[in-house]
Amino acid sequence: MRAAVLHELNKPMTIEELELRSPGRREVLVKMVASGVCHTDVSISEGTLFMMQKPPLPIILGHEGAGVVEEIGEDITEVAVGDHVVLSGLGCGRCRYCAIAMPMLCLNQFQRGPINYTNKGQNVFHFAQATFSEYSVVPINSCIKIRQDAPLDKVCLIGCGVTTGVLSAINTAKVRPGSTCLVIGCGGVGLNVVQGCAIAGARMIIAADILDNKLEMAKTFGATHTINSKSGDLVAQVKALTDGFGVDYSFEVIARGPTIEMAFESLAPNGLCTVVGAAPPGTIVHINTDLLFYERALRGVFLGSPRPAYDTPMLVDMYMAGKLKLDELVSQNLSIDGINQAFADMKGGKVARTVIKYV
Ligand code: APR
Ligand code: ZN
Ligand code: ZN
C-alpha cells in the first residue's frame, strides 16, 4: 500500500510503498476513499502546530478522511466489514473528560500507540488517523459509521474542517437565532464557521479575509456582509455595520495574535469571542480589561466541541438533506501523488479544500 511520508519539516512528502500491521483489539483497518487536506497538516509539516512542534519523523499526516471498513480487530461490535466510516472520532471513553462528553479534551489521545507502518523494517510514525495513506489502522473511537448513500469524497470533510467550523458556531459558541456574527479568516474552516452561524439563524454574518476570492466564497456560505481587512480598520468597519455596538459573536479562524485581538475588540457588550485558529505555541494576545467589564468573553475551542458519535452522522444527514454545503468547499480533487501540490495551494490561498481521492 502507498502513503505520503514526510521525512523532514518544510520538505516535500514522498509517496512510498509501506507495510501496515493488522488491526489489534478495538482497532479497525480502513480502506481510505478520500481525505481533505487541512491547515493543521500543513502546520505540522512546518513545525508550527501547538503540541506537535517536533513530530516524530518520518511521519504520515492526514486527519480528514472517509473510507470503508476492510477488516476489524477483536471486540468490535460498532462497525462491520463494508461499513462506510468518517474518521473523526477521538477519546478513550474512560477519562474524566470523555465521561462528561468532551472527548476532544481526552487525557489519553496523545499517547502514541504501537507503530502501524514500516518501510522495509524501518518505523514510519503517523499523526491522528494517517489519512494520506491508502489504508489505515485506527482505534474504533476514531471511526464513525455513517449511512451508505453519502458520497465519501464529500463527507470526508466532516472529519475535521466542517466539524470544527460548523460546530464551533453551534456547539461551542451556541450562536442564537437573530444574532450578529463576525468571522475573521474564511479558509476551509472559516467558511464553515460562516455556514454554522447561518444554520444557527444569525441575522448578520460579517466575513473578513484579505483575499477577495475567499470573501466571494463566504457569501455562498451565508455571509451577509464582507470586509477585505486590507481595506482599513476592521474593528471600525464592524462597529459601523452594527450601530456602533459590535457583534454578539466573533470568531478568529486564522491563528494570529493581531486578528484574535481584532475579533475581541469587535464584540458588543455581553459578546463572546471564540478563537478557532490554533495559534503557534506561546502566542500572546493583549486584551483591554475595560472591554471585559461589560461581560464580554474570550474562549478557545478544540474541534468545535464535538461528540462524534452524535454530531458526525448528524452533519452527514444535514448534507444529504441539502441543509449543509460540502460540494462548494471542494476546490479540487487530486490523487495522493498530488499531495505536495495540495499543500502549496493551501499555503498560496488558492483553495478552500483539496480532496485527495484514492479510488
Ligand atoms: N486577516 C484576515 N484573513 C487572513 C489573514 C489576516 N491577517 N491572514 C490570513 N487570512 C486568511 C487567509 O486568506 C485564508 O483564507 O485566513 C484564511 C486561513 O484559511 P486556511 O489557510 O484555509 O486554513 P484553515 O484550514 O481554514 O484553518 C484555519 O483553523 O483549525 C485551525 O489549525 C487551523 O489554525 C488553522 C485555522
Ligand atoms: Zn478520554
Ligand atoms: Zn483539521
Side-chain angles (χ1 to χ4, degrees):
M1 51 135 283
R2 298 164 81 230
V5 183
L6 179 78
H7 285 269
E8 230 183 301
L9 298 186
N10 292 302
K11 290 278 161 61
M13 286 157 276
T14 50
I15 308 302
E16 297 171 17
E17 282 285 340
L18 304 177
E19 300 87 46
L20 174 61
R21 69 176 175 85
S22 302
R25 185 176 173 274
R26 303 290 291 149
E27 290 181 334
V28 175
L29 173 66
V30 175
K31 183 180 188 343
M32 216 64 68
V33 171
S35 172
V37 176
C38 173
H39 208 114
T40 297
D41 299 308
V42 175
S43 300
I44 293 172
S45 77
E46 294 175 330
T48 56
L49 182 71
F50 174 62
M51 294 178 95
M52 248 309 207
Q53 281 167 280
K54 286 193 180 142
L57 296 170
I59 192 168
I60 303 172
L61 302 174
H63 61 280
E64 202 175 74
V68 180
V69 174
E70 177 98 356
E71 192 185 325
I72 57 173
E74 276 171 65
D75 295 335
I76 298 283
T77 51
E78 294 88 340
V79 298
V81 172
D83 279 349
H84 289 195
V85 292
V86 168
L87 301 179
S88 66
L90 27 83
C92 68
R94 303 183 308 275
C95 75
R96 57 187 273 165
Y97 290 107
C98 286
I100 57 167
M102 299 190 89
M104 70 288 181
L105 301 183
C106 176
L107 297 175
N108 299 316
Q109 62 184 307
F110 288 106
Q111 273 178 11
R112 198 180 307 133
I115 293 294
N116 286 4
Y117 298 91
T118 49
N119 188 347
K120 300 183 191 72
Q122 297 282 88
N123 288 342
V124 178
F125 298 94
H126 68 276
F127 168 68
Q129 301 95 359
T131 61
F132 298 155
S133 172
E134 289 175 339
Y135 290 88
S136 189
V137 169
V138 298
I140 184 63
N141 287 348
S142 290
C143 206
I144 308 298
K145 181 178 170 176
I146 58 155
R147 53 198 274 181
Q148 295 266 346
D149 59 345
L152 293 169
D153 60 342
K154 301 294 190 311
V155 298
C156 63
L157 299 177
I158 294 171
C160 176
V162 173
T163 289
T164 303
V166 172
L167 298 187
S168 286
I170 294 176
N171 282 3
T172 313
K174 298 187 174 66
V175 170
R176 287 174 60 85
S179 57
T180 56
C181 301
L182 166 69
V183 180
I184 309 181
C186 297
V189 180
L191 289 171
N192 281 297
V193 177
V194 169
Q195 163 152 254
C197 293
I199 289 168
R203 78 173 184 281
M204 178 187 271
I205 304 169
I206 306 168
D209 202 291
I210 47 175
L211 297 174
D212 287 331
N213 64 327
K214 298 296 175 76
L215 295 174
E216 279 310 309
M217 285 189 218
K219 287 183 195 161
T220 310
F221 285 87
T224 57
H225 299 74
T226 57
I227 299 174
N228 187 320
S229 37
K230 273 192 184 154
S231 68
D233 186 341
L234 175 64
V235 178
Q237 292 184 71
V238 172
K239 293 276 165 87
L241 285 170
T242 51
D243 297 329
F245 279 106
V247 291
D248 299 320
Y249 302 92
S250 65
F251 298 87
E252 199 274 356
V253 206
I254 308 161
R256 294 180 64 250
T259 38
I260 294 170
E261 289 168 7
M262 285 178 215
F264 184 72
E265 287 163 17
S266 299
L267 287 177
N270 195 41
L272 170 64
C273 172
T274 302
V275 179
V276 184
T283 301
I284 304 290
V285 295
H286 295 273
I287 296 301
N288 181 336
T289 53
D290 298 356
L291 297 179
L292 279 179
F293 183 77
Y294 291 99
E295 306 251 336
R296 293 173 180 87
L298 176 66
R299 77 161 292 170
V301 51
F302 189 174
L303 286 179
S305 322
R307 302 138 308 168
Y310 180 88
D311 290 314
T312 303
M314 174 194 82
L315 290 168
V316 172
D317 278 348
M318 286 179 71
Y319 169 70
M320 295 302 282
K323 295 178 191 298
L324 180 76
K325 290 184 167 56
L326 297 182
D327 300 359
E328 294 80 352
L329 286 169
V330 182
S331 309
Q332 62 180 351
N333 287 296
L334 294 174
S335 75
I336 188 67
D337 300 284
I339 189 72
N340 294 308
Q341 182 65 44
F343 274 43
D345 289 343
M346 170 158 268
K347 290 186 210 180
K350 281 194 194 158
V351 295
R353 272 295 190 259
T354 298
V355 170
I356 303 291
K357 284 173 86 162
Y358 291 92
V359 279

